[in-house]
Amino acid sequence: MDSTRVTEHPTSFDRPSTGADPTDPRGALLPAPVPPRASGSALPAQGRTGETPPTAGEDSPGVFEHSQPGAEQAAEPDTHRPRPGAEGVPVQPDGGQPDGGQPGGVPAGAAPRVAPSDGSALDGVPGGGQAAGVRPGSEVPAGATDRRDAPAEPDRRTGQPTAPGQPTPMRRDGDRLRFVGAATRRIARGMDLDEIVMGLCRATVPTFADAILVYLREPLPVGDERPTGPLVLRLRRTDRIPAERDTEGGFAPAAQPEPSELETVGAELCEVRPGSALAEVLRGVRPVFTDTPAARAALPELLGEERDFALPDGRRAILAPLRGRRRVIGAALFLRGPERIPFEADDLLVAAQLATHSALGIDKAVLYGREAYIADELQRTMLPENLPRCTGVRLASRYLPAAETARVGGDWYDAIPLPGSRVALVVGDVMGHSMTSAAIMGQLRTTAQTLAGLDLPPQEVLHHLDEQAQRLGTDRMATCLYAVYDPVSHRITVANAGHPPPVLLHLGGEAEVLRVPAGAPIGVGGVDFEAVELDAPAGATLLLYTDGLVESRLRDVWTGIEQLRERLAATAQLTGPDHPPPLEALCDEVLDMLGPGDRDDDIALLAARFDGIAPSDVSYWFLDPEDAAPGKARRLARRALARWGMEDLTDAVELLVSEVVTNAVRYASKPVTLRLLRTDVLRCEVGDDVPQLPRLRQARATDEGGRGLYLVNRLARRWGATRLSTGKVVWFELNRG
């Protein structure tokens, strides 16, 4: 019965404890428990191929690296067809008799010694499968197998009889295959660069190597792009077995041991010079032992001249280039300590498999990272980076993609300042979650912003969006809700195009689903849109959202809307009837109504808290377009400032109002409007029926006019001009004293 234990190491430093389940199916190799060793030894003492076994009382060399004989049954002969040797890889003897006829290279007259199989050891058992110092008839220690009476089994590849307890070559090959399978599965689980490199390190240490150094190209090329500049390798990650470990629990002690020679290996950065020994090794792609002349010449360039001395001698290190789909992207250096048996020729094949899987995984991770970055940047640029600060309303928003792997969608939200201190609130949803949906969303959002700048009614905005969607394609469908809030009149005008209705949370805690016409989605064509005007009392909160918040596989839209209404009402009860809940916390509470796996679509959420502007803070007049209008405007503004206790702004306001009104009455044919708004700033708005917008120009020394807007630009905190459907509005703001 084959008693080989297999496991996959969870971390680089954990050694499986004794008594682990021998049927663990995860596939890597389970080293045997490590016996106590002499102080000063950095790594467990193990034998080398061809050495004479130690006498009783000394530290015993290892028997197997990847195989472990059963405690009570002899290993069964392997009856499978032998695997042919790899091309270009020298074959090491397995069962020859080079030293006096004893199998495994044991001199004549010495105790039989079992040849090491492929890389780890069953500590505490000397060569020949008999524990050191055990006399015939004595009890065999636990963990070892008394194979003295077992008959010799023939080696199916060489035909020579093998020593009792020695595993057949095919059994060692099976161990390697199981290890490679477990290691590649761990590497393949990684999605990003760090996970893949960490998977390589944790899969190989300590099962295959005592330490590993992973170098990657800096910077890593993406896809088919050609790298520019010299080839530079940066040490991305290292992993090693701690110098001292708790062999029973598998944990490193609290006190840090002295650094071992494997800990000092590796430089942070190296530049690969064209034609150098390191460049030739990387160009060869195949892993090589570092005792070869080419690899020995390449190591000082990779590790640094001053650190090459720390590398173990002999076949105790493998340098494996990491080649992606098109070019070499790095290198991995596998190390074994002096106390461990050297690498065998078949270990080059293991290193090649690990390097190939890791390099291809890194290539794909870099490509995935670039695609995710592009998608994330696209979505971020399609949505507003910051919401504007509008008079009489506070805003908050949230956006959640459908999944972390699909960050691009067609949902969007927007808040657009309008003339007269109004604000347009927009939320929409384009069908799909692809780059095409995101591109269409960006075009519709830009169109909505342009139409809002023309101060068109909400139903006209949706009509033009419908025409734009039809120009983009016959299957470009979207839903949209467009609302305009006026803080002076405390009213809101809403038009809907197939979107879920908004929810209004009143100050007292009542949540109401607004009754607005559903309308047809954008892109249908040939339909009419209808707008309704509703009250927007101060302290109320309007919630606009996409259907991903209320619809899923577990519930329909109207069930989700009712749950949303109940959630808003319950949240409002926590703060009392006189205090609305904080806006940001309210958005978080709304998103918390989604359970695990209860989201199939993107979510765009826009919340608006209506503060409004009190009538006592607004002054509004009509001025006839005549020469006396500027003087009248100055007097009216002076009285309003005196009533508000803002006399310190009188001089500046009179000067700027006079300049703007003078420019308006010069070309207007209908009465000019003048409005002053007192909020956190003082805002002045002058409207006329002329659609041409004024432009700031530099007046010459001989010009009699052209300096009005120059004064406005120098004295005002902010100023601007907005075109209306009936003319334009020129406004400016001053800081309150």
Side-chain angles (χ1 to χ4, degrees):
M1 181 179 65
D2 187 2
S3 59
T4 303
R5 297 182 180 179
V6 293
T7 186
E8 181 175 344
H9 295 282
T11 63
S12 301
F13 310 117
D14 295 342
R15 177 179 292 272
S17 60
T18 57
D21 185 6
T23 63
D24 190 341
R26 289 176 288 176
L29 306 175
L30 181 63
V34 180
R37 53 186 177 276
S39 59
S41 175
L43 295 171
Q46 300 180 7
R48 305 184 183 184
T49 305
E51 292 180 353
T52 303
T55 59
E58 298 178 344
D59 290 339
S60 301
V63 177
F64 309 127
E65 178 168 359
H66 296 317
S67 296
Q68 185 173 339
E72 303 192 6
Q73 294 186 8
E76 299 175 359
D78 195 338
T79 60
H80 298 285
R81 179 181 297 274
R83 180 169 64 94
E87 265 186 329
V89 180
V91 179
Q92 294 184 353
D94 292 318
Q97 303 175 3
D99 297 325
Q102 289 291 345
V106 181
R113 175 180 172 82
V114 178
S117 60
D118 18 1
S120 70
L122 182 62
D123 297 326
V125 183
Q130 179 177 333
V134 177
R135 295 183 300 274
S138 62
E139 183 180 355
V140 180
T145 304
D146 192 356
R147 307 293 297 276
R148 291 171 294 176
D149 299 331
E153 299 174 352
D155 190 325
R156 297 184 62 87
R157 287 195 287 190
T158 63
Q160 299 293 332
T162 57
Q166 177 181 355
T168 63
M170 282 304 296
R171 187 167 302 260
R172 297 199 301 270
D173 294 342
D175 293 339
R176 286 190 175 93
L177 289 176
R178 283 190 290 271
F179 165 69
V180 171
T184 52
R185 285 194 299 272
R186 166 163 282 195
I187 295 170
R189 282 201 299 263
M191 287 292 293
D192 58 23
L193 181 62
D194 292 333
E195 289 178 349
I196 292 173
V197 175
M198 183 184 298
L200 171 63
C201 294
R202 292 186 173 180
T204 55
V205 178
T207 307
F208 182 70
D210 296 334
I212 182 174
L213 291 83
V214 180
Y215 288 84
L216 294 182
R217 192 165 191 154
E218 180 75 19
L220 279 169
V222 180
D224 296 333
E225 69 179 22
R226 292 184 175 275
T228 59
L231 172 58
V232 178
L233 298 181
R234 179 179 294 276
L235 184 61
R236 184 78 182 194
R237 184 179 176 87
T238 63
D239 215 345
R240 62 174 180 81
I241 300 178
E244 296 291 340
R245 294 183 302 168
D246 181 357
T247 58
E248 294 183 1
F251 297 99
Q256 295 299 324
E258 293 295 328
S260 66
E261 60 181 358
L262 294 182
E263 300 178 47
T264 60
V265 178
E268 179 70 20
L269 198 69
C270 77
E271 179 177 343
V272 182
R273 299 182 299 274
S276 64
L278 180 57
E280 293 300 323
V281 171
L282 295 179
R283 186 179 295 112
V285 178
R286 294 179 180 274
V288 295
F289 291 118
T290 55
D291 62 349
T292 60
R296 177 58 67 180
L299 286 179
E301 185 178 354
L302 179 66
L303 305 178
E305 298 287 348
E306 71 281 359
R307 299 191 182 226
D308 184 37
F309 72 92
L311 196 66
D313 295 327
R315 290 189 171 184
R316 302 189 180 277
I318 295 178
L319 179 58
L322 302 178
R323 178 177 174 82
R325 294 187 306 153
R326 299 189 180 276
R327 58 185 59 86
V328 173
I329 60 174
L333 184 63
F334 304 94
L335 302 171
R336 285 185 181 176
E339 298 83 4
R340 192 171 181 177
I341 63 175
F343 288 109
E344 296 181 353
D346 286 346
D347 290 326
L348 290 176
L349 302 178
V350 176
Q353 287 291 324
L354 297 176
T356 299
H357 282 276
S358 301
L360 293 178
I362 291 171
D363 244 4
K364 294 177 182 178
V366 172
L367 285 173
Y368 172 77
R370 172 62 64 87
E371 293 298 326
Y373 171 78
I374 293 174
D376 192 49
E377 286 297 310
L378 176 62
Q379 186 71 57
R380 185 158 41 209
T381 54
M382 293 295 183
L383 297 175
E385 185 175 356
N386 295 303
L387 293 174
R389 297 186 59 184
C390 303
T391 303
V393 61
R394 287 174 285 169
L395 303 171
S397 63
R398 295 290 187 274
Y399 176 81
L400 294 179
E404 191 66 21
T405 56
R407 307 183 186 184
V408 181
D411 293 18
W412 90 91
Y413 61 89
D414 214 340
I416 309 168
L418 299 177
S421 300
R422 296 171 300 154
V423 59
L425 307 174
V426 191
V427 65
D429 183 6
V430 178
M431 290 191 308
H433 308 287
S434 62
M435 301 284 284
T436 303
S437 302
I440 296 172
M441 177 267 286
Q443 296 181 70
L444 293 180
R445 177 175 177 246
T446 303
T447 303
Q449 289 179 327
T450 304
L451 296 172
L454 299 176
D455 197 26
L456 297 178
Q459 65 272 21
E460 290 298 322
V461 172
L462 295 183
H463 176 72
H464 288 291
L465 284 177
D466 181 64
E467 292 180 340
Q468 176 66 12
Q470 294 180 65
R471 285 190 290 267
L472 295 176
T474 57
D475 57 345
R476 309 309 188 194
M477 304 286 292
T479 63
C480 182
L481 192 142
Y482 189 94
V484 176
Y485 170 65
D486 189 344
V488 177
S489 62
H490 297 273
R491 304 282 289 178
I492 184 171
T493 306
V494 185
N496 190 11
H499 205 77
V503 179
L504 184 66
L505 178 62
H506 293 272
L507 184 59
E510 178 187 358
E512 173 189 5
V513 179
L514 297 183
R515 297 180 178 273
V516 296
I522 291 174
V524 173
V527 296
D528 190 21
F529 299 98
E530 183 181 354
V532 294
E533 188 173 352
L534 305 170
D535 289 331
T541 303
L542 183 69
L543 200 69
L544 309 180
Y545 53 91
T546 56
D547 58 356
L549 180 65
V550 294
E551 184 181 20
S552 69
R553 293 188 299 266
L554 304 179
R555 60 170 182 255
D556 57 55
V557 175
W558 291 106
T559 301
I561 292 175
E562 180 62 23
Q563 292 179 0
L564 173 61
R565 189 193 65 79
E566 294 175 354
R567 186 61 174 259
L568 290 174
T571 304
Q573 296 297 327
L574 300 177
T575 57
D578 299 331
H579 299 84
L583 207 55
E584 297 291 341
L586 181 65
C587 292
D588 294 335
E589 285 291 329
V590 168
L591 295 180
D592 285 344
M593 66 178 285
L594 300 170
D598 195 21
R599 181 159 60 90
D600 308 317
D601 199 358
D602 304 333
I603 296 177
L605 179 66
L606 180 63
R609 174 71 45 77
F610 300 143
D611 294 333
I613 300 177
S616 58
D617 293 331
V618 181
S619 296
Y620 192 86
W621 305 279
F622 287 94
L623 303 174
D624 293 329
E626 55 187 12
D627 295 340
K632 184 177 181 181
R634 289 193 296 269
R635 291 193 299 272
L636 294 174
R638 187 185 313 116
R639 294 173 186 172
L641 293 177
R643 185 171 66 253
W644 292 336
M646 303 171 64
E647 291 85 353
D648 54 336
L649 297 178
T650 300
D651 293 339
V653 171
E654 285 187 0
L655 175 60
L656 299 184
V657 165
S658 178
E659 293 294 337
V660 176
V661 171
T662 299
N663 186 71
V665 300
R666 180 177 298 177
Y667 306 102
S669 58
K670 295 181 179 180
V672 175
T673 60
L674 172 64
R675 184 164 72 170
L676 294 180
L677 302 174
R678 182 184 65 166
T679 58
D680 54 342
V681 297
L682 179 66
R683 182 183 176 97
C684 176
E685 299 173 352
V686 178
D688 58 62
D689 59 342
V690 181
Q692 286 78 19
L693 300 180
R695 293 288 182 265
L696 181 63
R697 297 180 178 88
Q698 187 69 35
R700 292 174 295 183
T702 57
D703 292 342
E704 295 183 0
R707 296 176 177 83
L709 288 182
Y710 177 77
L711 293 174
V712 174
N713 185 62
R714 292 298 301 269
L715 297 179
R717 173 179 175 266
R718 289 195 313 156
W719 76 279
T722 305
R723 184 179 286 110
L724 306 178
S725 57
T726 58
K728 69 174 180 293
V729 169
V730 180
W731 57 269
F732 63 86
E733 293 177 353
L734 294 172
N735 291 323
R736 296 177 58 177

